[in-house]
Amino acid sequence: MVWRLLSFVGLQSVAAALAWFLVEPAARVLTALLAAIGAGYLWLLFDAVRGMRLLNWLRRGESTEVALGAGLWGEAADRMRRLLRTRERQVVEGEGKLQDFLAALQASPNGVVLLDAQGRIEWFNQIAGEHFGFDARRDLLQHFGNLVRDPAFAAYFSERDFSHDVVMPGRDSTSAKPVRLSVHLHPYGEGRSLLLSRDITAVEQAEAMRRDFVANVSHEIRTPLTVLAGFVETLQALPLGEDDRQRYLGLMAQQAQRMQSLVNDLLTLSRLEGSPLPSVHDWVPVPAVLQACETEALELSRLLWGRAQDIVFESDAPCELAGSQPELHSVVFNLVGNAVRYTPADKSIRVRWQALGHGGAVLSVEDTGPGIAPEHLPRLTERFYRVDRSRSRDTGGTGLGLAIVKHVAQRHGAELRIDSVPGRGSVFSIVFPASRVRAMAELSLATV
Ligand code: ADP
């Protein structure tokens, strides 16, 4: 400020002094006065031009620098420039933080939608786009309620009680492949809302399966239990002869056996689900497993049919399998047991172990029984799924055998295949990968 005053007064003084010395003495005073006033106007004009340049620079908002040198306008320009740079840096930093934040929301496994106070979509992540079928270019700033017209959501939105979520079908939901979404609105800021969506299809399916499973187990146990209780009551109430007593006790033993088999299979399944995968270093000799199953199959056949069926066991290469011996035994016996139970006494059963070209091997159990209609095949490994309910029960089936087989096969990296022609018979095969099969060592061969 001092410099401005000095320069203003200085310029006027210099102009006045020059006029004083350059003109006639008679006109000196007036000329010096006029020169000083003129110099003052010149100074003001020059100052106004500098001020205008700064103002124009600010108006244009250009990033190029304006050179105003030193002085008040120069300093003002300098300070404004610095202020602008600081602001620009803050904006860039803020933008970067916003992008980081949005990237984090984008990475969320749940759908995220940001709604403004009017319920219009300000932003959504990719998962939300998939859940509701939104398009980033088309649907931004659209009213969420106009795009998602599910009645359950509309009621939830209008009630404005956001203390809980609402469950609605997803965009791709069909009756064959339902998709269920849990949607929860969380109000924040001034009337804005954060909408979170979660795909709960798998959770709901697991819950439904759990409910079905409990209902099935209860039903399976209740039936023999009711029969047992009936016999106990009869034995208590009636003075029966020895023959009747023995017959009733035999029937009771049968029901008890049925419950025992069911509990054993349930325990096997829960052990399979809870235990670590079978080791790839424990080698089980396949011929020993086949031999044990052959003996048991013949026993079961005699028990069920009064005489052993025509059961043939064949193996084209003595191999060892990496895995769990009890699990492999239960797989083979379940398949062979089913063949024995469902194949009439006069028909034949063939169990084969074959090495495959790529180093793997296949175990197949082929029967000439009733066969299974194609529509049942995909569901056979479901727990408690039975094609022939009474045949299964009469022969001591639990409805869990193939579920166990599939589980064990998966744990050994193997695949269960089922081919069947109604009226002709069925083939159940388990294909083991090369990594779990090896030719039998000479030493082991001698001991089998
Ligand atoms: P189950 O204890 O009832 O035999 P599984 O899970 O072992 O239960 O088998 C499921 C159903 O598949 C059986 O109830 C039966 O209807 C059918 N099934 C299994 N194996 C055979 C077979 N070899 N021949 C015909 N039907 C079979």
Side-chain angles (χ1 to χ4, degrees):
M1 207 59 203
V2 178
W3 163 248
R4 266 169 86 72
L5 210 60
L6 282 177
S7 67
F8 184 70
V9 176
L11 189 69
Q12 282 183 316
S13 308
V14 170
L18 276 175
W20 184 272
F21 291 114
L22 292 177
V23 295
E24 295 291 308
R28 259 184 192 152
V29 175
L30 188 63
T31 314
L33 201 64
L34 288 173
I37 292 171
Y41 275 123
L42 201 68
W43 188 95
L44 283 175
L45 186 70
F46 182 68
D47 193 61
V49 167
R50 295 184 75 204
M52 282 305 290
R53 282 181 64 201
L54 178 63
L55 201 61
N56 280 340
W57 176 67
L58 285 175
R59 277 190 190 136
R60 287 196 304 270
E62 285 173 3
S63 55
T64 50
E65 306 258 314
V66 58
L68 293 170
L72 182 132
W73 295 118
E75 189 182 335
D78 204 39
R79 285 188 184 276
M80 281 175 198
R81 213 176 290 128
R82 263 187 265 163
L83 204 67
L84 283 174
R85 276 203 202 119
T86 311
R87 286 278 150 81
E88 268 169 23
R89 210 175 40 243
Q90 282 171 347
V91 168
V92 170
E93 277 173 13
E95 180 69 18
K97 275 190 189 141
L98 181 67
Q99 289 308 324
D100 285 350
F101 192 65
L102 292 180
L105 291 181
Q106 195 63 268
S108 158
N110 295 331
V112 181
V113 185
L114 302 181
L115 301 176
D116 68 10
Q118 281 72 46
R120 288 177 306 199
I121 302 168
E122 287 189 313
W123 184 89
F124 59 86
N125 70 356
Q126 202 187 332
I127 301 280
E130 286 163 16
H131 283 170
F132 302 109
F134 291 161
D135 179 295
R137 268 168 301 176
R138 189 191 58 205
D139 297 330
L140 278 184
L141 293 180
Q142 295 291 319
H143 205 284
F144 190 87
N146 288 345
L147 300 178
V148 178
R149 291 183 167 274
D150 178 71
F153 179 79
Y156 173 74
F157 197 65
S158 61
E159 276 167 22
R160 307 207 73 75
D161 173 11
F162 302 136
S163 58
H164 60 93
D165 64 341
V166 62
V167 176
M168 56 181 270
R171 183 188 60 134
D172 297 328
S173 189
T174 59
S175 54
K177 199 166 171 276
V179 177
R180 306 280 291 157
L181 294 180
S182 152
V183 177
H184 201 160
L185 266 167
H186 301 271
Y188 74 97
E190 288 174 15
R192 290 165 180 274
S193 332
L194 168 77
L195 182 144
L196 297 179
S197 59
R198 198 160 53 95
D199 189 334
I200 53 164
T201 315
V203 177
E204 284 204 343
Q205 274 170 355
E207 179 57 22
M209 272 170 71
R210 193 193 61 78
R211 274 199 307 269
D212 285 355
F213 184 69
V214 171
N216 275 324
V217 170
S218 314
H219 176 77
E220 294 288 332
I221 289 184
R222 197 181 53 189
T223 313
L225 211 54
T226 312
V227 179
L228 254 178
F231 284 136
V232 170
E233 260 176 43
T234 310
L235 283 174
Q236 282 172 333
L238 298 176
L240 297 171
E242 188 53 25
D243 285 354
D244 282 340
R245 235 173 62 85
Q246 286 308 322
R247 194 164 57 84
Y248 276 31
L249 284 174
L251 291 169
M252 286 167 75
Q254 234 176 41
Q255 298 303 324
Q257 171 67 41
R258 200 174 136 187
M259 283 199 287
Q260 216 163 28
S261 307
L262 181 70
V263 172
N264 284 343
D265 278 359
L266 285 171
L267 285 174
T268 304
L269 267 176
S270 96
R271 254 198 310 272
L272 290 175
E273 277 168 355
S275 61
L277 287 181
S279 161
V280 286
H281 304 294
D282 293 342
W283 290 93
V284 181
V286 176
V289 175
L290 292 180
Q291 221 163 50
C293 288
E294 185 173 359
T295 311
E296 287 167 7
L298 290 170
E299 248 172 57
L300 180 68
S301 181
R302 270 187 220 107
L303 197 76
L304 284 175
W305 302 103
R307 65 182 172 97
Q309 289 151 304
D310 176 15
I311 308 176
V312 179
F313 274 72
E314 294 170 355
S315 168
D316 72 351
C319 292
E320 286 179 316
L321 252 179
S324 148
Q325 199 273 343
E327 287 184 25
L328 292 170
H329 178 273
S330 88
V331 161
V332 182
F333 185 68
N334 263 306
L335 291 181
V336 179
N338 277 356
V340 168
R341 286 164 47 227
Y342 296 105
T343 308
D346 55 341
K347 300 278 175 87
S348 59
I349 296 162
R350 196 172 176 203
V351 182
R352 262 201 295 186
W353 174 266
Q354 276 176 292
L356 295 174
H358 57 73
V362 59
L363 172 91
S364 57
V365 179
E366 186 178 346
D367 66 55
T368 46
I372 304 158
E375 67 268 22
H376 295 295
L377 295 181
R379 299 197 59 189
L380 283 188
T381 54
E382 283 176 24
R383 291 164 192 202
F384 299 113
Y385 188 84
R386 295 166 167 115
V387 181
D388 185 343
R389 214 156 259 283
S390 60
R391 176 99 207 99
S392 162
R393 294 232 169 87
D394 291 351
T395 55
T398 60
L400 295 172
L402 290 179
I404 293 174
V405 170
K406 185 178 175 188
H407 218 102
V408 172
Q410 279 173 347
R411 284 164 58 81
H412 286 80
E415 190 194 348
L416 170 68
R417 292 184 191 158
I418 309 172
D419 297 297
S420 189
V421 181
R424 302 261 299 271
S426 316
V427 186
F428 289 78
S429 325
I430 302 184
V431 184
F432 291 94
S435 57
R436 288 212 176 240
V437 180
R438 74 175 185 195
M440 223 160 152
E442 294 285 321
L443 194 65
S444 321
L445 260 175
T447 56
V448 172

Coordinates of all heavy atoms in Angstrom, one line a residue, residues 334 338-339 341-343 367 370-372 380 382 385-388 392 396-403 426 428, ligand 1:
N334 N -22.9 -100.6 -1.1 CA -24.2 -99.9 -1.3 C -24.7 -100.2 -2.7 O -25.9 -100.5 -2.9 CB -24.1 -98.4 -1.1 CG -24.6 -98.0 0.3 OD1 -25.7 -98.3 0.7 ND2 -23.7 -97.3 1.0
N338 N -27.8 -102.7 -3.5 CA -29.0 -102.2 -4.3 C -29.3 -103.2 -5.4 O -30.5 -103.6 -5.6 CB -28.8 -100.8 -4.9 CG -29.0 -99.7 -3.9 OD1 -29.5 -100.0 -2.8 ND2 -28.7 -98.5 -4.2
A339 N -28.3 -103.6 -6.1 CA -28.5 -104.6 -7.2 C -29.1 -105.8 -6.7 O -30.1 -106.4 -7.3 CB -27.2 -104.9 -7.9
R341 N -30.9 -106.2 -4.0 CA -32.3 -105.9 -3.4 C -33.3 -105.7 -4.5 O -34.5 -106.1 -4.4 CB -32.2 -104.8 -2.5 CG -31.6 -105.2 -1.1 CD -31.2 -104.0 -0.3 NE -32.2 -103.0 -0.3 CZ -32.0 -101.7 -0.5 NH1 -30.8 -101.2 -0.8 NH2 -33.0 -100.8 -0.4
Y342 N -32.9 -105.0 -5.6 CA -33.9 -104.7 -6.6 C -33.9 -105.7 -7.8 O -34.8 -105.6 -8.7 CB -33.6 -103.2 -7.1 CG -33.8 -102.2 -6.0 CD1 -32.7 -101.6 -5.4 CD2 -35.1 -102.0 -5.6 CE1 -32.9 -100.7 -4.4 CE2 -35.3 -101.1 -4.5 CZ -34.2 -100.4 -3.9 OH -34.4 -99.6 -2.9
T343 N -33.0 -106.6 -7.9 CA -33.0 -107.6 -9.0 C -33.7 -108.9 -8.6 O -33.3 -109.4 -7.5 CB -31.5 -107.9 -9.4 OG1 -30.9 -106.6 -9.7 CG2 -31.5 -108.7 -10.7
D367 N -27.0 -104.7 -13.3 CA -28.0 -105.7 -13.0 C -29.1 -105.8 -14.1 O -29.1 -105.0 -15.0 CB -28.7 -105.3 -11.6 CG -29.5 -104.1 -11.7 OD1 -30.4 -104.0 -12.6 OD2 -29.3 -103.1 -10.9
P370 N -35.4 -104.3 -12.6 CA -36.5 -103.6 -13.2 C -36.1 -102.3 -14.0 O -36.9 -101.8 -14.8 CB -37.4 -103.2 -12.0 CG -36.4 -103.1 -10.9 CD -35.4 -104.2 -11.1
G371 N -34.9 -101.8 -13.7 CA -34.5 -100.6 -14.4 C -35.2 -99.4 -13.7 O -36.1 -99.5 -12.9
I372 N -34.8 -98.2 -14.2 CA -35.3 -97.0 -13.6 C -35.7 -96.0 -14.7 O -35.0 -95.8 -15.6 CB -34.3 -96.3 -12.7 CG1 -33.8 -97.2 -11.6 CG2 -34.8 -95.0 -12.0 CD1 -32.4 -96.9 -11.0
L380 N -32.0 -89.5 -8.0 CA -31.7 -90.8 -7.2 C -30.8 -90.5 -6.1 O -30.9 -91.2 -5.0 CB -31.1 -91.8 -8.1 CG -32.1 -92.6 -9.1 CD1 -31.4 -93.7 -9.8 CD2 -33.3 -93.1 -8.3
E382 N -30.6 -87.9 -4.2 CA -31.2 -87.0 -3.1 C -31.5 -87.9 -1.9 O -31.9 -89.1 -2.1 CB -32.5 -86.4 -3.6 CG -32.3 -85.2 -4.5 CD -33.6 -84.7 -5.0 OE1 -34.6 -84.9 -4.4 OE2 -33.6 -84.1 -6.1
Y385 N -34.8 -90.1 -1.5 CA -35.6 -90.2 -2.7 C -35.7 -91.7 -3.1 O -34.6 -92.4 -3.2 CB -34.9 -89.4 -3.8 CG -35.8 -89.4 -5.1 CD1 -36.8 -88.5 -5.2 CD2 -35.6 -90.3 -6.1 CE1 -37.6 -88.4 -6.3 CE2 -36.5 -90.3 -7.2 CZ -37.4 -89.4 -7.3 OH -38.3 -89.4 -8.4
R386 N -36.9 -92.2 -3.3 CA -37.0 -93.6 -3.7 C -38.0 -93.7 -4.9 O -38.9 -93.0 -4.9 CB -37.6 -94.4 -2.6 CG -36.7 -94.5 -1.3 CD -37.6 -95.0 -0.2 NE -36.8 -95.5 0.9 CZ -36.9 -94.9 2.1 NH1 -37.7 -93.8 2.3 NH2 -36.2 -95.3 3.1
V387 N -37.6 -94.6 -5.8 CA -38.5 -94.9 -6.9 C -39.6 -95.8 -6.4 O -40.8 -95.6 -6.6 CB -37.8 -95.5 -8.1 CG1 -38.7 -95.7 -9.3 CG2 -36.6 -94.6 -8.5
D388 N -39.2 -96.9 -5.8 CA -40.1 -97.9 -5.4 C -40.0 -97.9 -3.9 O -39.2 -98.6 -3.3 CB -39.7 -99.3 -6.0 CG -40.7 -100.3 -5.7 OD1 -41.5 -100.1 -4.7 OD2 -40.7 -101.4 -6.3
S392 N -38.1 -100.7 -1.4 CA -36.9 -100.2 -0.7 C -37.1 -100.6 0.8 O -36.2 -101.1 1.4 CB -36.8 -98.7 -0.8 OG -36.0 -98.1 0.2
G396 N -35.1 -103.4 3.5 CA -34.2 -102.8 4.5 C -33.5 -101.6 4.0 O -32.5 -101.1 4.5
G397 N -34.1 -100.9 2.9 CA -33.5 -99.7 2.4 C -33.8 -98.5 3.3 O -34.8 -98.4 3.9
T398 N -32.9 -97.6 3.3 CA -33.0 -96.3 4.1 C -33.3 -95.1 3.2 O -33.7 -94.1 3.7 CB -31.8 -96.0 4.9 OG1 -30.7 -95.9 4.0 CG2 -31.5 -97.2 5.9
G399 N -33.1 -95.3 1.9 CA -33.2 -94.1 1.0 C -32.0 -93.2 1.0 O -32.0 -92.1 0.5
L400 N -30.9 -93.7 1.7 CA -29.7 -92.8 1.8 C -28.5 -93.4 1.1 O -27.5 -92.8 1.0 CB -29.4 -92.7 3.3 CG -30.4 -91.9 4.2 CD1 -30.0 -92.0 5.6 CD2 -30.5 -90.4 3.7
G401 N -28.7 -94.7 0.6 CA -27.5 -95.4 0.0 C -26.8 -94.6 -1.1 O -25.6 -94.4 -1.0
L402 N -27.6 -94.2 -2.1 CA -27.0 -93.5 -3.2 C -26.4 -92.1 -2.9 O -25.5 -91.6 -3.5 CB -27.9 -93.4 -4.4 CG -28.2 -94.8 -5.1 CD1 -29.2 -94.6 -6.2 CD2 -26.9 -95.4 -5.6
A403 N -27.1 -91.5 -1.8 CA -26.5 -90.2 -1.4 C -25.1 -90.4 -0.8 O -24.2 -89.6 -1.0 CB -27.5 -89.6 -0.3
S426 N -30.1 -101.9 -14.9 CA -29.3 -100.6 -14.6 C -27.8 -100.9 -14.5 O -27.4 -102.0 -14.1 CB -29.8 -100.0 -13.3 OG -31.2 -100.0 -13.2
F428 N -24.7 -98.9 -12.6 CA -24.2 -97.8 -11.8 C -22.6 -97.9 -11.9 O -22.0 -98.9 -11.5 CB -24.6 -98.0 -10.3 CG -26.1 -97.8 -10.1 CD1 -27.0 -98.7 -10.4 CD2 -26.5 -96.6 -9.5 CE1 -28.4 -98.5 -10.2 CE2 -27.8 -96.3 -9.3 CZ -28.8 -97.3 -9.6
Ligands
ADP1 P1 -32.6 -97.3 -0.9 O1 -32.2 -97.5 0.5 O2 -34.1 -97.0 -0.9 O3 -32.2 -98.4 -1.8 P2 -30.8 -95.7 -2.4 O4 -30.4 -94.3 -2.2 O5 -29.8 -96.7 -2.3 O6 -32.0 -95.9 -1.3 O7 -31.6 -95.8 -3.8 C1 -32.5 -94.8 -4.1 C2 -33.6 -95.4 -5.0 O8 -33.1 -95.7 -6.2 C3 -34.1 -96.7 -4.4 O9 -35.2 -96.5 -3.5 C4 -34.6 -97.4 -5.7 O10 -35.9 -97.0 -6.0 C5 -33.7 -96.9 -6.8 N1 -32.6 -97.9 -7.1 C6 -31.4 -97.9 -6.6 N2 -30.6 -98.9 -7.1 C7 -31.5 -99.5 -8.0 C8 -31.3 -100.6 -8.9 N3 -30.2 -101.3 -8.9 N4 -32.4 -101.0 -9.6 C9 -33.5 -100.3 -9.5 N5 -33.7 -99.3 -8.7 C10 -32.7 -98.9 -7.9

